[in-house]
Amino acid sequence: MIKGIFPEGTAIFRNKPYTPELFSLIIDEIDRASEPFTGMIKIEEETASYFLFFLTGDAYAAGYIREDKPMPLSIKDFFRHISDSPEKRNVSLLKIDPVLFKGMLVYLQREPSVKAASDMIDLENILSQIKKDKASAFVVFKKKNMHTFFYVHSGEPMMAHFSDESGISKESTIAEQLLLYANPGDTGAVEVMIYRDIKTSEASDKASIKPSMIPDIIPPEKKKPVASKPVWQPDAE
């Protein structure tokens, strides 16, 4: 099964082979960073993706997506999975802005108010109602396996995060980009998910997790210094 692809913000690095040593280095550098880190660690396995979110340096929430189904996860269960599972995996470290941070948590924690093919709903009417209500919402498009997040604030489309920007004009407004995604022309309909309830929450065990505790998941025999460049060095573009 093809896994979904999501907006990634700014990559510190992408798709390094996971090892407990590397994970320990990542956590240590998040803990010691001069600028508190807000972003996520993404773990890619053959059939699932796991996410660990950090807010200003502290582990905040976790979740996973398996068989196209997003689910929240406790932080301890995230650690338990990567510690116990024998699956090969890759790890990415991604710095994301507060809107994408919120959008990813909404996607993992909430059910959409509307989920349908774009040619089966009157999206402009739905957006008009959101505007009338002066409400906030997320509109998520899934084109093949690519996800794009649009944030609507006080009824107006305000920000977009793309996993694929092909065909998008930099000169168009966010509202125009949203409608373009909904009406892709010859490429066929896309799936639309509209989230009117965008309340999110920290993991229930957040208060009990501190970065200094996280390396305890690594077996003692693997807690060796690793000679490598700092993981905080961004990938070359």
Side-chain angles (χ1 to χ4, degrees), residues 84-224:
D84 293 344
S85 172
E87 288 192 57
K88 291 183 179 179
R89 51 175 72 98
N90 291 328
V91 57
S92 300
L93 181 61
L94 307 165
K95 188 175 182 180
I96 57 179
D97 64 53
V99 173
L100 182 55
F101 186 99
K102 176 80 170 180
M104 287 296 298
L105 289 183
V106 168
Y107 186 83
L108 290 165
Q109 295 180 359
R110 294 293 174 188
E111 291 290 333
S113 307
V114 176
K115 182 177 182 180
S118 57
D119 59 357
M120 298 296 292
I121 60 173
D122 186 343
L123 182 58
E124 290 192 51
N125 184 58
I126 295 171
L127 293 173
S128 294
Q129 186 61 52
I130 294 173
K131 184 174 183 177
K132 181 180 178 181
D133 295 340
K134 296 184 178 179
S136 294
F138 277 94
V139 181
V140 180
F141 293 98
K142 180 183 176 186
K143 183 189 298 184
K144 296 182 180 179
N145 63 329
M146 301 280 192
H147 293 72
T148 294
F149 287 65
F150 287 89
Y151 175 55
V152 180
H153 178 68
S154 297
E156 299 291 343
M158 295 295 292
M159 188 175 291
H161 293 86
F162 300 95
S163 55
D164 177 17
E165 296 188 29
S166 60
I168 296 297
S169 170
K170 300 293 185 182
E171 298 178 358
S172 57
T173 66
I174 299 298
E176 290 169 343
Q177 292 172 358
L178 193 160
L179 293 176
L180 180 61
Y181 250 80
N183 300 281
D186 294 340
T187 61
V190 298
E191 185 175 358
V192 185
M193 291 158 276
I194 301 173
Y195 295 84
R196 295 292 306 267
D197 181 358
I198 62 171
K199 294 178 182 176
T200 58
S201 60
E202 63 187 35
S204 59
D205 56 350
K206 172 190 176 294
S208 65
I209 301 293
K210 299 297 179 186
S212 59
M213 299 165 55
I214 294 174
D216 291 340
I217 69 169
I218 300 171
E221 67 272 14
K222 293 191 176 182
K223 292 183 180 179
K224 301 175 183 178

